[in-house]
Amino acid sequence: MARRALLCFLLLQPLLAAAEPRAQANRTFTIDYEGDQFLKDGKPFRYISGSIHYSRIPRFYWKDRLFKMKMAGLNAIETYVPWNFHEPFPGQYQFSGEQDLEYFLQLVHEVGLLVILRPGPYICAEWDMGGLPVWLLEKKSIFLRSSDPDYLKAVDKWLEVLLPKMKPYLYQNGGPIITVQVENEYGSYFACDYNYLRFLLKVFRQHLGEEVVLFTTDGAGENYLKCGTLQDLYATVDFGTSSNITQAFMIQRKVEPKGPLVNSEFYTGWLDHWGESHQTVSTKNIVASLTDMLSRGANVNLSLFHFRYMFIGGTNFGFWNGANMPYLPQPTSYDYDAPLSEAGDLTEKYYAVREAIGKFEKLPEGPIPPSTPKFAYGKVAMKQVNTVQDSLDVLCPAGPFNSTYPLTFVQMKQYFGFVLYRTILPKNCSEPVLLSSPLGGVHDRAYVSVNGVSQGILERNRVLSINITGKAGDTLDVLVENLGRINFGEDINDFKGLISNLTLGSDVLKDWLMFPLDLQNEVDPDLEKKVTSRSNPSNSTLPSFYVGQFSIPSGIPDFPQDTFIQFPDWTKGQVWINGFNLGRYWPGRGPQVTLYVPRHILVTSALNNITVLELERSPCESQQRCFVEMVDKPILNGPLFSSKKNP
Ligand SMILES: *[C@@H]1O[C@H](CO)[C@@H](O)[C@H](O)[C@H]1NC(C)=O
Ligand SMILES: *[C@@H]1O[C@H](CO)[C@@H](O)[C@H](O)[C@H]1NC(C)=O
Ligand SMILES: *[C@@H]1O[C@H](CO)[C@@H](O)[C@H](O)[C@H]1NC(C)=O
Ligand SMILES: *[C@@H]1O[C@H](CO)[C@@H](O)[C@H](O)[C@H]1NC(C)=O
Ligand SMILES: *[C@@H]1O[C@H](CO)[C@@H](O)[C@H](O)[C@H]1NC(C)=O
Ligand SMILES: *[C@@H]1O[C@H](CO)[C@@H](O)[C@H](O)[C@H]1NC(C)=O
Ligand SMILES: *[C@@H]1O[C@H](CO)[C@@H](O)[C@H](O)[C@H]1NC(C)=O
Ligand SMILES: *[C@@H]1O[C@H](CO)[C@@H](O)[C@H](O)[C@H]1NC(C)=O
Ligand SMILES: *[C@@H]1O[C@H](CO)[C@@H](O)[C@H](O)[C@H]1NC(C)=O
């Protein structure tokens, strides 16, 4: 019934008309400085918006999530555009399927919401490299987020593709986009390069026109606003429940003495890191701040309010998570303790927020779409098929790179996942000898073996040396994993791989072969075939692939349903279902225990294939324990384990 209501609602909305300026003469969205407010079609307008990142929600569920946001009383959504999601290689653009931003904007429009668009080019967002494409690092010395000509050239070329696509979706052209953010918290970045902001302002105006409201967002501190704002870009601030709202807006007033007061990011929750406890923000505090701001709005025409971070967080599928410094990668779930859960479920916070908004705004009528049903498909037996080493010919069909000193990922045009670095031990190590990365050049985690015998794990900022043993002429394999690029601060030029030399005792290791692994696709229908093609089952403790299958009963309406996968007694790795890269699991560190499995990747017509790359230790020495499990409840706050807990 709820689903039917949703459909009817959508059908009633007019489809987005092709942009015909003539027909849209009445649609305006402007800043009224004197009235300290926004004007929509000439009338005072306040938006209450929530963030949703389309890149973190399966397209299959976009409509469902947007409709739930609408039913909470929001009148706008806010989204980032991750550049690296759309231009994975220079000049290769992706705007279809999961990357179909225009379709997303159409859906928003049909649901009856407005859009605050944040196209970056830098977005932070706990997203790999803050949304900047890795290939920018092919120029090793590039100065990102500055007026470095090579950076500007790439930005210019990208915006020339993106912004004209966005133009028809601007409010005044008949679409849902009311305002557009330029850069993101630029005042928190060390460069403080006004020429860069001026360049962006010029390019945004050139492609979007003079009418659209362009704005910046910075932390509510004078220092941030100093470098983050520019004349002709409307300055807004962001802050969470712990801030003094009056003081935060006094900061905005220092830069914008007139015009609407805007909190562009109000933190409804907080982000997680592997190895740190799951973060939450209390519903009570959210409701109190929200009520405070909305009631000020009623009195002083405080214009807007975002639940930017986040109304729904979603998932870092595949390899898309970012990391913070000192190096701490973010987990696969981006649940964010937001009003809608990672899986789009209605939470207590959702209802509390809806009720608070309902005190100030008329809530839409009709039923709220229910949480989607979840199903516990149960245990799935797994079996080890191959080690990574055994699979090199299928996973690296072009063969290895060969170089005296190690190359970085970007030098090999390998952007995500794994590269196996191989060399020969130059000397006997019958007694343990230290294998070290004296300059901390293992980015980010390396699984070390000698002639197929596991030796230990090196890890960025944590484990810079291990002892190894072996004989001269033995093969030393160092499988290096990229755990996600830094997305915030001055270290965003985050090179991956062995970014400096490894030493054995006092000798620099030389003459490397490097095998980039072809595991980078978001979906690889042939993955199962690839990893099983060399089937050579062993009880190896080296990084290995495991496969398993499960069936979903057919003939039951509404099947398949969403589920969550967990890895009892497994340690750390990557998981794919039917070739879809779900992300990392790491119960060996915590706190995330289950990974969200959206139903659209499951089938009832055939067996579903689970492929696991376990990098450390599986429970499969015992056949009874060699399984993964599909459960109907997420666990994001599991136990934490020390970083040094290596096998
Ligand atoms: C749009 O503008 C035209 C011309 O100014 C006016 O006649 C018409 O009533 C306006 N329509 C609305 C819906 O405001
Ligand atoms: C917030 O700041 C204002 C202005 O500095 C001050 O008057 C007020 O007492 C503060 N409120 C709280 C709750 O600290
Ligand atoms: C708020 O907006 C209303 C409607 O435009 C206006 O009448 C009122 O004076 C405004 N109040 C303040 C404090 O600006
Ligand atoms: C790597 O390159 C060097 C120098 O060109 C060559 O001598 C060596 O045989 C190559 N190694 C492999 C395994 O191809
Ligand atoms: C390594 O040890 C073996 C005997 O265990 C010896 O034959 C060989 O010469 C040694 N190699 C080097 C490089 O020291
Ligand atoms: C390596 O082995 C030596 C001698 O056995 C020992 O003193 C040292 O602590 C070990 N170092 C590491 C990093 O394990
Ligand atoms: C490795 O060491 C060599 C010799 O000292 C040096 O030329 C090279 O730049 C180093 N490579 C890296 C990646 O640090
Ligand atoms: C793996 O271990 C099992 C149980 O210990 C044993 O039966 C089997 O022969 C082993 N297989 C290999 C390939 O070593
Ligand atoms: C899973 O793999 C089997 C072959 O082992 C294949 O028949 C089946 O179609 C695959 N399932 C999906 C959903 O691709």
Side-chain angles (χ1 to χ4, degrees):
M1 186 174 145
R3 194 165 290 161
R4 188 172 317 138
L6 169 63
L7 268 179
C8 294
F9 183 84
L10 291 174
L11 291 174
L12 286 175
Q13 302 296 318
L15 284 173
L16 183 67
E20 288 210 24
R22 179 177 44 83
Q24 317 298 343
N26 302 23
R27 289 172 70 97
T28 57
F29 194 89
T30 55
I31 294 176
D32 167 17
Y33 286 93
E34 284 316 305
D36 293 338
Q37 61 197 346
F38 285 108
L39 297 178
K40 179 166 161 277
D41 305 330
K43 294 189 203 65
F45 177 76
R46 167 165 79 173
Y47 64 77
I48 303 177
S49 88
S51 260
I52 172 171
H53 300 160
Y54 60 93
S55 55
R56 288 186 158 121
I57 314 282
R59 172 188 169 119
F60 180 83
Y61 276 128
W62 285 349
K63 210 184 273 186
D64 174 74
R65 309 308 193 240
L66 289 170
F67 195 63
K68 286 171 178 161
M69 292 173 80
K70 166 94 180 174
M71 294 308 290
L74 305 180
N75 56 8
I77 63 113
E78 205 180 41
T79 196
Y80 279 131
V81 180
W83 178 5
N84 54 8
F85 194 56
H86 292 284
E87 193 181 355
F89 295 92
Q92 278 182 29
Y93 302 102
Q94 294 184 345
F95 282 101
S96 62
E98 299 293 324
Q99 274 95 355
D100 197 342
L101 171 56
E102 288 163 273
Y103 176 65
F104 178 77
L105 294 174
Q106 262 172 50
L107 284 179
V108 179
H109 195 57
E110 286 169 22
V111 168
L113 291 163
L114 298 165
V115 173
I116 294 125
L117 189 74
R118 312 175 100 189
Y122 164 83
I123 61 168
C124 192
E126 288 75 65
W127 188 260
D128 190 75
M129 212 167 140
L132 297 176
V134 193
W135 46 261
L136 291 170
L137 299 178
E138 275 167 23
K139 178 188 169 190
K140 206 172 171 196
S141 63
I142 195 161
F143 190 171
L144 301 170
R145 303 179 72 197
S146 81
S147 43
D148 178 325
D150 293 295
Y151 174 69
L152 291 191
K153 205 169 123 202
V155 167
D156 197 28
K157 211 169 147 238
W158 159 238
L159 293 179
E160 198 173 281
V161 171
L162 175 69
L163 296 180
K165 284 183 193 291
M166 298 297 99
K167 192 172 183 186
Y169 293 87
L170 295 178
Y171 185 77
Q172 59 270 27
N173 296 335
I177 301 173
I178 48 173
T179 61
V180 178
Q181 184 184 306
V182 176
E183 246 282 346
N184 188 64
E185 295 186 334
Y186 189 61
S188 303
Y189 192 55
F190 70 102
C192 200
D193 181 344
Y194 294 110
N195 284 335
Y196 168 47
L197 285 185
R198 280 188 202 104
F199 169 85
L200 290 179
L201 171 61
K202 189 186 85 194
V203 174
F204 275 64
R205 283 275 170 241
Q206 182 189 326
H207 295 297
L208 298 178
E210 290 302 317
E211 242 179 289
V212 62
V213 174
L214 299 178
F215 72 101
T216 56
T217 297
D218 280 289
E222 278 179 71
N223 284 347
Y224 298 130
L225 290 170
K226 182 168 160 281
C227 294
T229 61
L230 191 72
Q231 204 169 16
D232 300 328
L233 291 173
Y234 191 72
T236 72
V237 291
D238 52 26
F239 54 87
T241 54
S242 61
S243 299
N244 177 321
I245 298 173
T246 307
Q247 278 176 9
F249 282 132
M250 276 163 56
I251 303 282
Q252 188 192 346
R253 275 285 171 253
K254 292 203 166 150
V255 182
E256 298 291 357
K258 304 293 291 168
L261 296 170
V262 182
N263 177 2
S264 283
E265 299 191 2
F266 170 72
Y267 302 102
T268 53
W270 197 245
L271 58 113
D272 280 349
H273 293 113
W274 289 117
E276 291 187 346
S277 54
H278 179 55
Q279 303 290 301
T280 57
V281 172
S282 91
T283 297
K284 200 170 124 261
N285 291 352
I286 300 267
V287 167
S289 290
L290 169 59
T291 305
D292 184 351
M293 278 200 258
L294 288 176
S295 57
R296 282 162 199 251
N299 299 329
V300 295
N301 293 344
L302 164 66
S303 275
L304 15 134
F305 186 80
H306 294 288
F307 289 98
R308 172 208 149 182
Y309 254 90
M310 296 292 300
F311 205 84
I312 173 167
T315 310
N316 296 310
F317 290 115
F319 297 116
W320 283 117
N321 69 279
N324 280 309
M325 280 304 272
Y327 190 77
L328 272 179
Q330 293 124 15
T332 303
S333 171
Y334 198 63
D335 177 86
Y336 223 85
D337 194 31
L340 288 170
S341 77
E342 173 180 15
D345 292 346
L346 307 164
T347 65
E348 178 214 353
K349 198 178 268 184
Y350 177 91
Y351 288 107
V353 161
R354 183 173 190 268
E355 191 187 315
I357 294 175
K359 296 203 173 113
F360 299 90
E361 303 285 340
K362 191 169 154 6
L363 294 172
E365 279 166 19
I368 302 171
S371 296
T372 52
K374 309 291 184 294
F375 193 79
Y377 299 104
K379 293 177 181 174
V380 179
M382 302 295 289
K383 67 169 198 275
Q384 189 177 30
V385 283
N386 260 313
T387 61
V388 167
Q389 275 99 331
D390 288 336
S391 315
L392 288 179
D393 53 345
V394 274
L395 292 179
C396 184
F401 287 77
N402 174 350
S403 147
T404 309
Y405 299 110
L407 302 175
T408 61
F409 274 33
V410 72
Q411 285 174 307
M412 298 180 262
K413 299 205 191 301
Q414 173 82 2
Y415 297 156
F416 296 98
F418 307 88
V419 172
L420 185 121
Y421 290 74
R422 172 173 285 176
T423 187
I424 300 297
L425 288 187
K427 63 182 178 195
N428 284 330
C429 311
S430 40
E431 295 302 315
V433 177
L434 268 191
L435 175 72
S436 306
S437 173
L439 301 177
V442 174
H443 287 191
D444 303 297
R445 200 170 157 86
Y447 308 88
V448 180
S449 62
V450 172
N451 272 10
V453 178
S454 177
Q455 306 285 318
I457 297 171
L458 295 166
E459 186 174 345
R460 181 170 182 178
N461 288 10
R462 291 177 192 239
V463 185
L464 303 189
S465 307
I466 54 171
N467 280 318
I468 64 168
T469 55
K471 292 193 302 297
D474 282 358
T475 299
L476 170 70
D477 278 345
V478 181
L479 177 66
V480 182
E481 177 183 17
N482 166 0
L483 284 173
R485 287 183 187 80
I486 294 163
N487 59 269
F488 178 78
E490 58 189 0
D491 299 304
I492 52 175
N493 297 45
D494 190 8
F495 293 89
K496 295 303 185 185
L498 294 182
I499 70 156
S500 59
N501 289 306
L502 288 188
T503 55
L504 184 64
S506 54
D507 305 329
V508 169
L509 287 169
K510 293 200 284 195
D511 301 325
W512 293 91
L513 292 180
M514 288 150 291
F515 301 78
L517 304 191
D518 176 22
L519 295 171
Q520 300 195 87
N521 295 340
E522 275 133 8
V523 184
D524 180 354
D526 296 329
L527 180 68
E528 182 84 2
K529 229 176 287 161
K530 283 184 204 162
V531 303
T532 50
S533 66
R534 294 281 179 283
S535 195
N536 177 23
S538 65
N539 295 350
S540 170
T541 56
L542 294 176
S544 297
F545 292 98
Y546 297 78
V547 297
Q549 296 181 315
F550 68 104
S551 61
I552 291 175
S554 59
I556 303 179
D558 260 11
F559 264 48
Q561 294 180 343
D562 286 3
T563 186
F564 300 93
I565 186 170
Q566 66 182 19
F567 301 83
D569 295 326
W570 298 70
T571 313
K572 179 185 192 314
Q574 199 78 22
V575 58
W576 293 259
I577 295 188
N578 296 331
F580 180 92
N581 188 344
L582 278 174
R584 289 191 180 81
Y585 65 90
W586 201 352
R589 182 152 295 174
Q592 182 177 359
V593 173
T594 56
L595 269 66
Y596 174 49
V597 182
R599 60 178 280 203
H600 76 285
I601 66 170
L602 303 176
V603 296
T604 50
S605 57
L607 288 168
N608 292 280
N609 296 307
I610 304 180
T611 309
V612 168
L613 169 56
E614 169 60 52
L615 296 158
E616 298 186 22
R617 195 172 41 193
S618 81
C620 293
E621 65 277 10
S622 146
Q623 216 169 22
Q624 284 80 28
R625 286 166 56 222
C626 191
F627 62 85
V628 296
E629 188 171 17
M630 241 77 69
V631 295
D632 57 8
K633 297 222 172 27
I635 304 170
L636 300 177
N637 60 349
L640 301 173
F641 297 96
S642 121
S643 61
K644 300 246 165 108
K645 190 191 165 217
N646 289 334

